[in-house]
Amino acid sequence: MKTELTQEQIDFYQENGYIVIEDFLTPEELETWRRQVDDAVAQRDGRVTVGGPRSADRVKDEASRHYDKVFVQRMNLWTDHEGMRRLMFDPRLGKMVSELAGVDGMRIWHDQALIKQPWANPTGWHLDNPYWSYSSRDAITIWVALDDATRDNGCLYFLPGAHKTANFDGATIGINISDLFEIYPQWAEIQSAAAPMKAGSCSFHNGLMPHAAGANMTPGWRRAMTCGYMPDGSTFNGIQNILPQAYFESLAIGDALDDDACNPLIWHKSKPYGTM
């Protein structure tokens, strides 16, 4: 993995709220990531296989049916798949996201396979951090392209610099891809930046960076593996999100989110590699 950052890259991320790292994975690493993600998704739900039939849509309202056709989404694969655990717990990733964000250490918030099926709907503009159980201007997400991500099959788009003026209000990923601009009308004048990526490249974006993805206008699948990271020391804001029910009920607003069983600490500058 190409995990050594230059100061120029860190500065670009801090200024723009995102950065693309070309050829992040070697060809061999890319094949490992593809194999482990495909296996973990199939293990989680045998009805969902890349290149095969999707699970049957449940009877839902129009917005939910639209969301089902945005992407196949499987979260926290590290919790029940050993191969994904090895990938997600790599301390080099923890060090990299900590350096980009400018914090002392990072915990996994959740990993997430996001697989656009053929002819999938676009992913509407949204922010990550408002969904989560903590509020931080230093949250960060990695997005690894397992297939080429193009303007035709649903690459990411960002609004450079908009993370600086975001608060913790967000919009759901719904039928109208521009709903976020009703909350932040000033962003509607920003020119979006497309982020097409070759398979094996990746991007990082701030948890308050508005981002979206185009529709998949092809008969092929577009696989991506992502992980959201929580700065060590973050505190509970009252939202449940991925927190298990018993843990959620035990928390009061302001409590530290430091349960390693739920949110593993994968890197901290005070500890050498291998001690997490």
Side-chain angles (χ1 to χ4, degrees):
M1 284 193 295
K2 189 186 295 183
T3 57
E4 294 300 317
L5 293 164
T6 67
Q7 188 59 51
E8 182 180 15
Q9 288 173 315
I10 294 171
D11 291 344
F12 183 94
Y13 172 84
Q14 291 286 336
E15 176 64 23
N16 293 281
Y18 77 97
I19 191 168
V20 174
I21 307 293
E22 300 289 354
D23 300 317
F24 176 65
L25 301 177
T26 67
E28 294 77 17
E29 289 169 336
L30 174 60
E31 288 309 311
T32 296
W33 278 63
R34 285 171 166 169
R35 184 173 61 254
Q36 298 296 351
V37 171
D38 287 353
D39 185 66
V41 170
Q43 175 180 293
R44 180 67 63 84
D45 184 349
R47 296 170 300 172
V48 177
T49 55
V50 174
R54 294 190 63 230
S55 58
D57 289 331
R58 299 177 294 278
V59 177
K60 295 181 176 181
D61 61 26
E62 184 180 5
S64 296
R65 291 197 303 272
H66 173 89
Y67 186 82
D68 275 351
K69 292 177 174 64
V70 171
F71 41 52
V72 176
Q73 178 184 32
R74 293 295 179 268
M75 298 173 67
N76 269 344
L77 296 173
W78 72 265
T79 62
D80 55 16
H81 189 275
E82 180 58 35
M84 290 306 303
R85 189 176 297 114
R86 288 194 299 270
L87 295 181
M88 294 297 102
F89 282 31
D90 192 324
R92 293 175 297 173
L93 291 176
K95 181 175 185 288
M96 195 175 189
V97 292
S98 297
E99 289 176 344
L100 285 169
V103 300
D104 290 344
M106 283 287 184
R107 294 178 178 272
I108 291 176
W109 180 246
H110 65 63
D111 68 31
Q112 190 171 205
L114 297 175
I115 303 167
K116 275 197 181 289
Q117 57 269 42
W119 316 115
N121 290 328
T123 309
W125 288 99
H126 64 285
L127 312 176
D128 289 342
N129 191 237
Y131 292 111
W132 297 342
S133 307
Y134 68 98
S135 300
S136 172
R137 305 201 72 85
D138 298 318
I140 185 171
T141 295
I142 187 175
W143 195 99
V144 181
L146 302 181
D147 300 301
D148 290 348
T150 70
R151 291 174 183 263
D152 289 336
N153 72 0
C155 75
L156 290 175
Y157 290 79
F158 300 105
L159 296 183
H163 65 300
K164 297 178 182 178
T165 56
N167 54 42
F168 296 99
D169 296 326
T172 59
I173 299 174
I175 296 171
N176 299 314
I177 66 171
S178 61
D179 281 348
L180 188 64
F181 300 121
E182 295 183 10
I183 301 171
Y184 301 96
Q186 70 274 24
W187 292 350
E189 302 302 318
I190 300 175
Q191 179 61 53
S192 66
M197 290 178 240
K198 296 183 300 181
S201 297
C202 78
S203 65
F204 296 89
H205 64 264
N206 185 279
L208 294 174
M209 164 52 57
H211 59 290
N216 187 352
M217 302 298 287
T218 78
W221 292 70
R222 189 232 66 189
R223 293 169 292 175
M225 187 63 205
T226 78
C227 188
Y229 298 94
M230 174 177 68
D232 188 38
S234 296
T235 59
F236 181 53
N237 64 10
I239 298 172
Q240 183 170 7
N241 194 242
I242 54 92
L243 298 179
Q245 188 65 30
Y247 182 33
F248 170 68
E249 293 176 353
S250 74
L251 292 167
I253 292 176
D255 284 351
L257 292 171
D258 56 3
D259 185 340
D260 284 312
C262 185
N263 302 117
L265 180 67
I266 60 168
W267 186 83
H268 196 281
K269 71 176 186 179
S270 68
K271 298 179 181 181
Y273 286 125
T275 62
M276 296 296 139

